[in-house]
Amino acid sequence: MGQVRNESNPYEASWLDGGDAFAAQVGLTQERLTYDGDSTRQQEQISQLLAGDTECLVMNVLPNGDSDTPPIVEGAEEAGAYLVTQWNKPADMNVTDYDSWLSHITYDGVESGKQIGDALAEAIGGSGGIVALQGILDTGAAKDRFAGLEESLAANPDVKLLDDQTANFSRAEALEVTKTLLTKHGEDVKGIWAANDDMALGALEALQQAGRTDVAVVGIDAVPDALTAIQDGTMTATVSSDGPWQGGIGLAIGYCVATGELAVEDIADEDRAWFAEQFLIEKDNVADFVSPETSESDFACDNLFSRSQGAIS
């Protein structure tokens, strides 16, 4: 089973597609679940699943926020289902305290937030005003990415943060928030830093409506529309965590344990909670990321942790 917020977000849809690709590789099918950013609905879906046959159940889950992870983990542990979580978990919750919770994978949001911050600074010539669109504030991803922007601003002292508002990782909300910010700050806005591509695309829409072609925009996720925008020069940069790989790897870890090819006790502590590789995409390398495909070798039981950038401290 793969569970994400919604399939209208192309990054999350690509995650489920990657899960399908891995499942087909081993002659199985993945159950695709979405909960539309509703924590209660997420918990209900998982409870329902855990009430059934869990003997070989493998779950690859995007918890809605940090606080949603504990009940999912406790439920899986009690039912004996194999669980991999990605992105969100409380910092003080240790995967090694559990048997069914095999691994937690996340991405160094500080690094990606800084990467796109630096790309934005370069795009506006190293000086000028920018605004920031923050993600869902109860997620580690949003907090870390914004901390990365702050690091970038410290390294680029002539770039000034005029304002930051949350748009909850949503394209529609980002459109409205950006309209407000453009009205408020006008010509002072030279760049827009967005904590994900959906918000960056909403910002691009607002800029288009305002007739502004002088504003650089950056995001994170490498969704198809963002890659197209980078190709045609309307967007500056994004970062890929490789959604299809994420969809496959969570299921692959569970599958390898469920089939006995990998024992939980043989997974090194640093592979129980780890940062996976991510990639900065700009105009010069965007062509490499337009059609991401999963590779069977990425999901081999002896190769599951090959993209690790180290343990989450």
Side-chain angles (χ1 to χ4, degrees):
M1 174 277 270
Q3 188 197 44
V4 297
R5 292 191 185 98
N6 61 68
E7 291 197 51
S8 59
N9 178 323
Y11 154 66
E12 291 179 16
S14 77
W15 160 320
L16 293 180
D17 291 345
D20 284 348
F22 169 73
Q25 185 182 312
V26 293
L28 297 170
T29 53
Q30 169 190 230
E31 184 172 354
R32 299 167 70 112
L33 294 178
T34 57
Y35 54 89
D36 292 322
D38 180 337
S39 294
T40 305
R41 190 168 169 199
Q42 174 169 49
Q43 301 296 340
E44 284 169 354
Q45 285 181 351
I46 288 177
S47 297
Q48 207 170 355
L49 205 61
L50 293 175
D53 180 9
T54 58
E55 194 180 342
C56 288
L57 176 62
V58 172
M59 302 160 64
N60 183 27
V61 173
L62 169 59
N64 197 34
D66 293 0
S67 56
D68 297 295
T69 306
I72 295 170
V73 170
E74 299 294 347
E77 192 75 6
E78 201 174 307
Y82 299 111
L83 172 69
V84 173
T85 52
Q86 301 198 44
W87 286 117
N88 302 317
K89 82 168 183 68
D92 59 356
M93 194 175 186
N94 298 314
V95 185
T96 49
D97 293 341
Y98 298 86
D99 297 321
S100 289
W101 188 16
L102 305 177
S103 203
H104 177 76
I105 306 168
T106 194
Y107 297 79
D108 188 344
V110 178
E111 183 197 355
S112 55
K114 183 177 189 304
Q115 281 179 312
I116 62 167
D118 290 347
L120 185 62
E122 191 180 330
I124 65 171
S127 69
I130 65 165
V131 294
L133 302 175
Q134 292 219 53
I136 297 170
L137 297 178
D138 173 42
T139 63
K143 294 170 198 166
D144 289 348
R145 290 171 188 181
F146 190 70
L149 171 61
E150 292 176 318
E151 281 191 14
S152 175
L153 290 166
N156 295 282
D158 293 332
V159 176
K160 300 284 179 250
L161 181 62
L162 304 170
D163 218 326
D164 74 275
Q165 301 282 336
T166 181
N168 291 307
F169 291 134
S170 157
R171 189 168 182 162
E173 284 186 51
L175 170 62
E176 297 308 321
V177 171
T178 304
K179 280 183 183 174
T180 304
L181 292 173
L182 290 174
T183 303
K184 185 176 172 186
H185 298 286
E187 298 297 321
D188 291 342
V189 179
K190 303 297 180 204
I192 298 174
W193 178 99
N196 79 340
D197 282 345
D198 252 21
M199 295 192 297
L201 292 162
L204 282 175
E205 215 173 309
L207 289 166
Q208 200 177 356
Q209 288 179 16
R212 296 282 301 270
T213 55
D214 59 328
V215 180
V217 179
V218 295
I220 291 171
D221 280 344
V223 305
D225 286 352
L227 298 178
T228 302
I230 290 171
Q231 281 180 305
D232 68 24
T234 51
M235 190 165 152
T236 297
T238 187
V239 170
S240 173
S241 55
D242 194 348
W245 174 83
Q246 284 183 268
I249 199 68
L251 295 180
I253 293 168
Y255 175 83
C256 290
V257 173
T259 55
E261 289 186 62
L262 180 69
V264 182
E265 51 273 21
D266 291 339
I267 302 175
D269 284 0
E270 63 264 26
D271 291 333
R272 298 293 296 275
W274 48 290
F275 287 118
E277 189 176 2
Q278 51 194 354
F279 313 90
L280 179 69
I281 302 172
E282 297 176 285
K283 195 158 191 177
D284 62 353
N285 67 340
V286 66
D288 301 340
F289 293 89
V290 171
S291 303
E293 288 182 5
T294 57
S295 159
E296 288 198 14
S297 62
D298 282 338
F299 307 132
C301 294
D302 58 358
N303 198 39
L304 298 171
F305 305 101
S306 63
R307 290 198 188 182
S308 176
Q309 304 296 292
I312 299 167
S313 53

